[in-house]
Amino acid sequence: MEYKAPLRDIRFALYEVLGYAEHFASLPRGEAATPETVDAVFDEFARLCEEVLEPIYRSGDEEGCTWDAGEVRTPSGFREAYLHYATSGWAGISSDPVYGGQGLPSSMSRVLGEMMGAANTGFTLYTAGQAGAIETLAAHGTPEQRDLYERQLIAGTWNATMCLTEPHCGSDLGLLRTKAEPQADGSYAISGTKIFITGGEHDLTENIVHIVLARLPDAPPGNKGISLFIVPKYLAGADGELSDRNRVFCGSIEHKMGIKASATCVMNFDGATGYLLGQLNRGLNGMFTFMNTSRVATAVQGVTHAELGFQKSLAYARERLQMRSLTGAKNPEGPADPIIVHPDVRRMLMTQKAFAEGNRMLVYYLARHIDVVEDGQDQAARAASQDRLDFLTPVAKAFATETGFESANLGMQCLGGHGYIREWGLEQNVRDARIAMLYEGTTGIQALDLLSRKVLGSGGKMVADFTQEIEHFCRSATGEPELEPYLIELRELVDEWRAISLRIAEDAEKDLEVVGAVSVQYLMYAGYVSLAYLWARAYSAALLGLAQSPQDADFYRAKQSTAAFYFEHILPRTRTCSEIISAGASSLMSLPEEHFRF
Amino acid sequence: MEYKAPLRDIRFALYEVLGYAEHFASLPRGEAATPETVDAVFDEFARLCEEVLEPIYRSGDEEGCTWDAGEVRTPSGFREAYLHYATSGWAGISSDPVYGGQGLPSSMSRVLGEMMGAANTGFTLYTAGQAGAIETLAAHGTPEQRDLYERQLIAGTWNATMCLTEPHCGSDLGLLRTKAEPQADGSYAISGTKIFITGGEHDLTENIVHIVLARLPDAPPGNKGISLFIVPKYLAGADGELSDRNRVFCGSIEHKMGIKASATCVMNFDGATGYLLGQLNRGLNGMFTFMNTSRVATAVQGVTHAELGFQKSLAYARERLQMRSLTGAKNPEGPADPIIVHPDVRRMLMTQKAFAEGNRMLVYYLARHIDVVEDGQDQAARAASQDRLDFLTPVAKAFATETGFESANLGMQCLGGHGYIREWGLEQNVRDARIAMLYEGTTGIQALDLLSRKVLGSGGKMVADFTQEIEHFCRSATGEPELEPYLIELRELVDEWRAISLRIAEDAEKDLEVVGAVSVQYLMYAGYVSLAYLWARAYSAALLGLAQSPQDADFYRAKQSTAAFYFEHILPRTRTCSEIISAGASSLMSLPEEHFRF
């Protein structure tokens, strides 16, 4: 029951559904991304995941991280695996070649992130802060800062964190208190406590670069007084040579439900030397770029948990013999039938499959738009892609992680009581998956961002634009009788989506609480319809595949079956969402706070 | 954030919604169950839960059980707590006074089980096998067996297990292999391996009585060749004095996702001495009574996990300051508003509350019928109660644990990232809650039992009977304008429920796979409608309460708000269930097993 990278499905989503061949060809960075190179990169990385990272998946969870007097030891094998990862150049696969990166499109990082996350979520998190810091430095760093820090991060010799959260301030960053006092030499003395810092301290690299949100003493209150600082664990000369230990220390690590191989640190900044990154008081703006891509990266985790649960429970369902099929023995020689013959087991497997493959398409769809924003040649196309990203990033983050967690639980459920036992690895997947709905903005925060800032904030334009794209697809795909029922359903949903959005906008004028009351249902609705769109595209791509590559007919027919399952067994969830949305806020807000319990 | 037994709500459900005062008065065993006695029992037990069991809730999880050379050590404090529990006579609260029990109605045990489970799930499991064994002995034991074993179990000096599962046989008990060889002295030599044995070995009591399913060498194959045996850890004389150590040993304990304070054991029977309990080859029949009550007990766990998550997340939501209300500051003096002002946080709290209180009513509703079956004076009433129990037990077991797990997750979600950290206790609740959907028959097994054996097996009679009861309530409650909208909805659902049941019966004649394909959706549908019925009764009871006890108006208005929330925000889930049910089996069964992955 080990993880195998689903390379065939990855290629289907990229090339056959989402047109990545033409997409790569249209990008300056895509020049190197020939189909051969891309395949070679994926194959090579799949091997790393399967052979190096997967074998330390469970042991990393069992062993966890240990904290001793401010030092953190990662689980056995993590240091060697990280070295392997870093020295092979994977950290900079889509980074700037000027600083040592490979300069490939960033969408490829998402694909690698998916394989890595499924093989070993805990390990993957040590690469997340690094990626975020590289990106933030690339966007806001001076050439000197980039040459020093970004180069080391790309080389993987140093690691990095993003330090946002404080004990009293999670979603509400305006409350943050960490102080930055200007020093005579132009640096800043950073003081404060940050919590939930992934990889804040560890033994993987010689240095760790913290990107820290803090406030100058005279900064305006709230969001507009936050600046970004680079705070390395060890100060370094321009050549990267380490000198003094900086005054930033790991006070403790959290004891968590899952992702135990990842050190989640309390970081104490005790007058640590920091360097301003970007403009004063504009730190939160600097953060938004990073937050958005880290949200897409978290959406990828939703894919990984669904994929992993699916692979493991499928293997079990093929082996485990229990009871006979309702329609007669399917394994008459054996004492019972394999449980995959039972429709309810199939329901659980198909649900995982539909979410793993569906959310994979959703994430790659977004990754394509990120490529365009970062590297597109056409200004209008870049703006359109940015809009689509702004709109769908909260959807993908929350929807993929919610359904990823659901899938992880279904994977466990397929094993019955055995799923609850650690040795099978399914319960680890559930525990690891659970964090994804919380960090990088909870589902509730994503939903509010979607409905309040994006839908209502754009006056409905973002919904109009995306639903137009869906309608455009429906028109272009018309003519295939097999596809037609799905297109009809999709068109109806598009109409309903617009009507719902409009009605919420009207209701919100009377009572603003409506927005918060229905936001999560709205987001889930948007997610189910977005996935229906992508499953319809997959069905359409499968039709083409059947015509062009009959030797792959089994693969394409399986796609069609999964699309049909999605439309028949998953998409009806929109019925509940739309009915709850119409209920509004009243029964949520009527109960006085002091009467919740007696 | 400690657990407080919700005594006011318990009394509301029992007396004001479900008419327990008259119910107790109608039972022979109920004579002692005067309102004063019942209150005193509940108050006293609530103190035990809050003061003795809750304080070792988290430490029990952290420390877990340890196995050493066949001996199992329970976490610190468990032995003392168990002694406290046993010596106070709680183990036999509803057992036969002839053998030392208190002879109170068994419904009272459910209420105690709820408080105990919420205070400490892990501890509670040590009382579950005991209760199961007492019940099984009471139903099938000879007077001598009862006098020896049942008496010790009621006194709590001995503990007990139920040994069903084997490595290759979980849901499919027909496959079981444990052997029972008749011996010259009339006893049997029991050999085989049992797994997932809750409390199979521990240090709480001087002896452990295993009730074991096994097969005689010449037994017919399958379910009809299974017999029940009493296999004590230590053999004992008729006076209960211990003699030889029996050949039953704990081979190891499982490392699990949760319920870590409960020892889940692999038990090896190596020619152990066993005594036949009940009739030869009729062991599975003997087991069914026990399985049904243990399913109701597991449904109670669904209540406990929802209640505990609700209490803890409510306390957090009242304290945690983060962001401002969308409709203006509610805590203008503070740096931000308490998160309970945010509608989405309220949605999560209200969902937990609606399931905790709703499933509490459902479980007490069943407990009332169990009382009648066990102790009712009217034969026809006993038969009707048995029917209702047969019908609703799988619903309650699966629905209450699924929604209990959902609630536990929402409780955690209210805390954001902090919910993932062990010290808050919310993630323990999620881990502990997860097993309830697996043991005592998975959700899928319950759903198949409901739809195949109960609904189709009774030719629809069980649905007809229960929906008639709902209609009867609707008629009797008509006339209250406030209640009317809910009654209208309930009537529509009743009609739909019957229509759905009929259509499945028709479809199943053409394709039996339909039954398995839609069974879980059908069960959840049944659960949502059953809870709607009980919430409508609660609303009706609250109207009466408002009229009769205006001093409690806040409590009754909160009930009405919660009922309204249930109807508006939860019940629409039936829309999805009914649409998926109409999809049938085809897209589940069309994919050949070998094409699930490429």
Side-chain angles (χ1 to χ4, degrees):
Chain A
M1 298 218 306
E2 284 140 24
Y3 170 71
K4 288 282 163 206
L7 292 166
R8 177 70 183 92
D9 199 66
I10 288 171
R11 286 198 301 269
F12 174 76
L14 290 174
Y15 298 119
E16 300 180 61
V17 180
L18 295 163
Y20 261 74
E22 310 81 70
H23 165 66
F24 282 151
S26 77
L27 297 173
R29 281 198 212 166
E31 210 165 300
T34 59
E36 297 70 36
T37 303
V38 173
D39 271 4
V41 166
F42 291 169
D43 288 350
E44 177 67 22
F45 196 73
R47 241 192 321 277
L48 174 80
C49 292
E50 293 165 3
E51 293 171 10
V52 178
L53 302 183
E54 198 279 337
I56 53 173
Y57 166 69
R58 201 167 98 76
S59 59
D61 178 69
E62 292 285 330
E63 195 179 334
C65 292
T66 44
W67 180 96
D68 182 24
E71 310 271 295
V72 172
R73 201 176 65 235
T74 57
S76 305
F78 271 56
R79 204 176 139 76
E80 295 72 16
Y82 180 83
L83 256 172
H84 193 325
Y85 171 85
T87 54
S88 312
W90 293 113
I93 189 87
S94 53
S95 306
D96 193 338
V98 170
Y99 302 100
Q102 314 272 324
L104 286 163
S106 78
S107 52
M108 288 180 66
S109 296
R110 298 288 157 234
V111 179
L112 305 189
E114 184 202 316
M115 297 191 232
M116 182 160 53
N120 198 324
T121 298
F123 179 88
T124 303
L125 291 170
Y126 291 104
T127 71
Q130 206 165 15
I134 290 171
E135 192 181 333
T136 309
L137 283 159
H140 306 287
T142 63
E144 294 73 26
Q145 288 173 334
R146 296 189 66 185
D147 203 44
L148 174 55
Y149 300 106
E150 195 178 332
R151 186 177 295 284
Q152 298 283 354
L153 294 176
I154 287 172
T157 43
W158 297 358
N159 201 268
T161 76
M162 307 297 294
C163 296
L164 286 71
T165 304
E166 298 179 6
H168 60 287
C169 110
S171 306
D172 194 351
L173 285 173
L175 298 177
L176 78 78
R177 292 182 195 147
T178 297
K179 264 188 318 195
E181 302 257 10
Q183 303 297 297
D185 64 355
S187 73
Y188 294 80
I190 312 291
S191 300
T193 299
K194 296 285 182 177
I195 62 168
F196 299 164
I197 307 309
T198 299
E201 181 58 54
H202 57 68
D203 55 5
L204 301 181
T205 52
E206 60 180 33
N207 201 8
I208 301 173
V209 181
H210 305 285
I211 308 289
V212 182
L213 291 183
R215 262 180 213 295
L216 260 63
D218 60 351
N223 288 342
K224 297 204 166 126
I226 297 172
S227 306
L228 271 182
F229 299 89
I230 302 169
V231 184
K233 175 177 171 184
Y234 285 96
L235 302 177
D239 57 354
E241 191 157 330
L242 303 185
S243 59
D244 294 348
R245 179 72 166 84
N246 203 354
R247 296 188 59 77
V248 48
F249 303 102
C250 175
S252 60
I253 57 175
E254 304 289 353
H255 300 282
K256 310 185 298 291
M257 184 186 198
I259 52 167
K260 295 189 181 192
S262 169
T264 305
C265 302
V266 174
M267 298 303 296
N268 298 315
F269 295 83
D270 183 17
T273 299
Y275 308 102
L276 182 68
L277 177 59
Q279 287 178 265
L280 264 185
N281 296 333
R282 304 268 298 159
L284 222 49
N285 294 56
M287 242 348 53
F288 275 133
T289 334
F290 155 72
M291 276 193 232
N292 271 327
T293 49
S294 71
R295 283 170 180 186
V296 177
T298 311
V300 170
Q301 294 175 21
V303 179
T304 68
H305 299 127
E307 177 70 33
L308 190 62
F310 172 63
Q311 290 196 17
K312 285 179 183 261
S313 56
L314 175 62
Y316 184 87
R318 284 168 163 168
E319 297 293 327
R320 173 76 170 175
L321 306 181
Q322 206 79 174
M323 305 205 289
R324 293 294 181 189
S325 161
L326 288 174
T327 52
K330 300 291 180 285
N331 174 36
E333 319 287 280
D337 289 340
I339 61 173
I340 198 171
V341 308
H342 304 308
D344 188 58
V345 172
R346 283 175 162 254
R347 174 188 65 84
M348 297 191 280
L349 292 170
M350 291 297 287
T351 303
Q352 297 174 70
K353 182 174 165 67
F355 283 132
E357 297 174 7
N359 286 328
R360 176 173 295 125
M361 293 189 283
L362 179 60
V363 165
Y364 295 177
Y365 173 94
L366 288 179
R368 193 181 192 277
H369 284 297
I370 295 175
D371 281 348
V372 174
V373 168
E374 289 178 350
D375 200 32
Q377 296 305 287
D378 180 83
Q379 176 96 35
R382 281 215 306 277
S385 282
Q386 184 64 58
D387 257 22
R388 189 70 84 251
L389 271 179
D390 288 344
F391 181 55
L392 287 181
T393 296
V395 175
K397 194 283 177 183
F399 180 83
T401 59
E402 292 278 342
T403 55
F405 181 65
E406 176 188 343
S407 300
N409 269 296
L410 288 173
M412 184 172 167
Q413 192 73 16
C414 288
L415 275 74
H418 295 276
Y420 200 66
I421 308 299
R422 290 217 300 257
E423 65 177 293
W424 291 93
L426 277 292
E427 66 85 38
Q428 180 182 347
N429 191 41
V430 171
R431 287 185 290 106
D432 287 353
R434 186 62 185 85
I435 187 63
M437 291 131 79
L438 295 166
Y439 62 15
E440 306 300 338
T442 61
T443 298
I445 291 293
Q446 305 299 329
L448 209 56
D449 178 42
L450 172 70
L451 187 53
S452 178
R453 296 187 55 222
K454 310 298 168 59
V455 175
L456 303 180
S458 75
K461 181 176 180 304
M462 285 188 178
V463 182
D465 288 351
F466 182 52
T467 51
Q468 257 170 36
E469 175 182 324
I470 299 177
E471 282 182 328
H472 178 79
F473 161 73
C474 289
R475 275 194 303 277
S476 73
T478 296
E480 283 292 350
E482 277 185 70
L483 194 52
E484 203 53 37
Y486 303 126
L487 301 181
I488 290 170
E489 200 166 342
L490 211 40
R491 282 198 193 92
E492 285 170 3
L493 285 166
V494 157
D495 288 341
E496 185 183 56
W497 191 356
R498 290 172 181 153
I500 286 174
S501 306
L502 195 61
R503 208 190 45 233
I504 293 173
E506 288 165 2
D507 291 351
E509 285 185 19
K510 282 163 266 166
D511 177 11
L512 214 49
E513 301 289 14
V514 165
V515 178
V518 306
S519 54
V520 166
Q521 294 293 341
Y522 184 91
L523 182 143
M524 294 305 288
Y525 181 95
Y528 290 120
V529 178
S530 300
L531 235 59
Y533 164 49
L534 291 165
W535 270 116
R537 287 181 63 173
Y539 198 106
S540 171
L543 285 171
L544 194 67
L546 278 170
Q548 293 181 342
S549 311
Q551 72 281 9
D552 277 353
D554 292 339
F555 176 84
Y556 294 116
R557 291 218 184 83
K559 275 287 159 203
Q560 294 177 317
S561 292
T562 313
F565 172 81
Y566 182 83
F567 272 83
E568 292 178 13
H569 285 258
I570 304 293
L571 195 56
R573 298 184 189 184
T574 54
R575 297 308 85 220
T576 293
C577 299
S578 64
E579 191 163 322
I580 294 176
I581 290 169
S582 72
S586 67
S587 66
L588 276 178
M589 304 313 291
S590 62
L591 189 58
E593 187 242 293
E594 62 276 23
H595 297 162
F596 267 67
R597 270 197 72 212
F598 288 88
Chain B
M1 295 217 308
E2 284 138 25
Y3 170 72
K4 288 281 163 206
L7 291 167
R8 177 69 183 92
D9 199 66
I10 287 171
R11 285 197 302 268
F12 174 77
L14 290 175
Y15 298 119
E16 301 181 57
V17 180
L18 295 163
Y20 262 73
E22 309 82 71
H23 165 66
F24 281 152
S26 77
L27 297 174
R29 280 197 213 166
E31 212 165 299
T34 59
E36 296 70 37
T37 304
V38 173
D39 271 4
V41 166
F42 291 170
D43 288 351
E44 178 66 24
F45 197 73
R47 241 193 319 279
L48 174 80
C49 292
E50 293 166 4
E51 293 170 11
V52 178
L53 302 183
E54 198 279 337
I56 52 172
Y57 166 68
R58 202 167 99 74
S59 59
D61 178 69
E62 291 287 328
E63 196 180 334
C65 291
T66 44
W67 180 96
D68 182 24
E71 310 273 296
V72 171
R73 202 177 63 237
T74 57
S76 305
F78 271 56
R79 203 174 140 76
E80 294 73 16
Y82 180 82
L83 256 171
H84 194 326
Y85 171 84
T87 54
S88 312
W90 293 113
I93 189 85
S94 53
S95 305
D96 193 338
V98 171
Y99 302 99
Q102 313 273 324
L104 286 163
S106 79
S107 52
M108 288 180 65
S109 296
R110 299 288 157 233
V111 178
L112 305 188
E114 186 203 315
M115 296 191 230
M116 182 162 53
N120 197 324
T121 299
F123 178 88
T124 303
L125 292 169
Y126 290 104
T127 71
Q130 206 165 13
I134 290 172
E135 191 180 334
T136 309
L137 283 159
H140 306 287
T142 63
E144 294 72 26
Q145 287 174 334
R146 295 189 67 185
D147 202 47
L148 174 56
Y149 299 106
E150 196 178 332
R151 186 176 295 283
Q152 298 283 353
L153 294 175
I154 286 173
T157 42
W158 296 0
N159 202 267
T161 75
M162 307 296 295
C163 296
L164 285 71
T165 305
E166 298 180 5
H168 60 287
C169 111
S171 306
D172 194 351
L173 285 174
L175 299 176
L176 78 78
R177 291 183 197 148
T178 297
K179 265 188 317 196
E181 303 257 10
Q183 304 295 299
D185 65 356
S187 71
Y188 293 81
I190 311 291
S191 300
T193 299
K194 295 285 181 178
I195 61 168
F196 299 165
I197 305 310
T198 298
E201 179 58 54
H202 56 67
D203 53 6
L204 301 181
T205 51
E206 59 180 32
N207 201 8
I208 301 173
V209 181
H210 305 285
I211 309 287
V212 183
L213 291 182
R215 259 180 216 295
L216 261 63
D218 59 352
N223 288 341
K224 297 200 168 131
I226 297 172
S227 307
L228 271 181
F229 299 89
I230 302 169
V231 184
K233 177 177 168 185
Y234 286 96
L235 303 178
D239 57 353
E241 192 156 331
L242 303 185
S243 59
D244 293 349
R245 179 73 166 83
N246 202 353
R247 296 188 59 75
V248 47
F249 303 103
C250 175
S252 61
I253 57 175
E254 304 289 353
H255 300 283
K256 310 184 298 291
M257 184 186 199
I259 52 167
K260 294 188 181 193
S262 168
T264 306
C265 302
V266 174
M267 297 305 295
N268 298 315
F269 295 82
D270 185 16
T273 299
Y275 308 101
L276 182 67
L277 176 61
Q279 289 178 266
L280 264 186
N281 296 333
R282 305 268 298 159
L284 221 50
N285 293 54
M287 241 351 50
F288 275 134
T289 331
F290 156 71
M291 275 193 229
N292 272 327
T293 49
S294 73
R295 281 169 183 187
V296 177
T298 311
V300 171
Q301 294 175 20
V303 179
T304 69
H305 300 126
E307 177 70 33
L308 190 64
F310 173 62
Q311 290 196 17
K312 286 179 182 259
S313 57
L314 175 61
Y316 184 87
R318 285 170 163 167
E319 295 293 326
R320 174 75 171 176
L321 306 180
Q322 206 80 173
M323 304 206 289
R324 293 294 182 190
S325 160
L326 287 175
T327 52
K330 300 291 181 282
N331 174 35
E333 318 287 279
D337 290 340
I339 61 172
I340 197 171
V341 309
H342 304 307
D344 188 57
V345 173
R346 283 174 162 257
R347 173 186 66 83
M348 296 191 282
L349 292 171
M350 292 296 287
T351 304
Q352 296 174 72
K353 182 174 166 65
F355 283 132
E357 297 175 6
N359 287 326
R360 175 173 297 126
M361 294 188 283
L362 179 60
V363 165
Y364 295 177
Y365 174 93
L366 288 179
R368 194 179 190 281
H369 284 296
I370 295 175
D371 281 348
V372 174
V373 168
E374 290 178 350
D375 201 31
Q377 296 306 289
D378 180 82
Q379 174 97 35
R382 280 215 308 276
S385 281
Q386 184 64 59
D387 256 23
R388 188 71 84 254
L389 272 179
D390 287 346
F391 181 53
L392 287 181
T393 296
V395 175
K397 194 285 176 180
F399 180 81
T401 59
E402 291 279 341
T403 55
F405 181 66
E406 176 188 340
S407 299
N409 269 297
L410 288 173
M412 184 173 168
Q413 191 74 14
C414 288
L415 275 73
H418 295 275
Y420 200 65
I421 307 300
R422 291 217 300 255
E423 65 177 291
W424 293 93
L426 277 294
E427 66 85 36
Q428 180 183 345
N429 192 41
V430 171
R431 287 186 289 105
D432 287 352
R434 186 62 185 85
I435 187 63
M437 292 131 79
L438 295 166
Y439 62 13
E440 305 301 338
T442 62
T443 298
I445 291 293
Q446 305 298 330
L448 210 56
D449 178 41
L450 171 71
L451 188 52
S452 179
R453 295 189 53 223
K454 310 297 169 59
V455 175
L456 303 181
S458 75
K461 180 176 181 304
M462 286 187 177
V463 181
D465 289 349
F466 183 52
T467 51
Q468 258 169 35
E469 174 182 325
I470 299 177
E471 281 182 329
H472 178 78
F473 161 74
C474 289
R475 272 195 304 277
S476 72
T478 295
E480 282 293 348
E482 277 185 68
L483 193 53
E484 203 52 38
Y486 304 125
L487 300 181
I488 291 171
E489 201 166 342
L490 211 40
R491 283 199 193 90
E492 285 170 5
L493 286 166
V494 157
D495 289 341
E496 185 183 57
W497 191 355
R498 291 172 181 154
I500 286 174
S501 306
L502 195 62
R503 209 191 42 235
I504 293 173
E506 288 165 4
D507 291 351
E509 286 185 18
K510 283 163 263 165
D511 177 12
L512 213 49
E513 301 288 15
V514 164
V515 178
V518 306
S519 55
V520 167
Q521 293 294 340
Y522 184 90
L523 182 143
M524 294 305 287
Y525 181 95
Y528 289 120
V529 178
S530 301
L531 236 60
Y533 164 49
L534 291 165
W535 269 116
R537 287 181 63 173
Y539 198 106
S540 173
L543 284 172
L544 194 66
L546 279 170
Q548 294 182 339
S549 312
Q551 72 281 11
D552 276 355
D554 291 341
F555 177 83
Y556 294 117
R557 291 219 183 82
K559 273 290 159 201
Q560 294 177 318
S561 292
T562 313
F565 172 81
Y566 182 83
F567 271 84
E568 291 178 13
H569 285 258
I570 304 292
L571 195 55
R573 298 185 190 183
T574 53
R575 299 307 86 221
T576 293
C577 299
S578 63
E579 191 162 324
I580 294 176
I581 290 169
S582 72
S586 68
S587 66
L588 276 178
M589 304 313 291
S590 63
L591 190 58
E593 187 244 292
E594 63 275 24
H595 297 161
F596 267 67
R597 271 197 71 213
F598 288 88

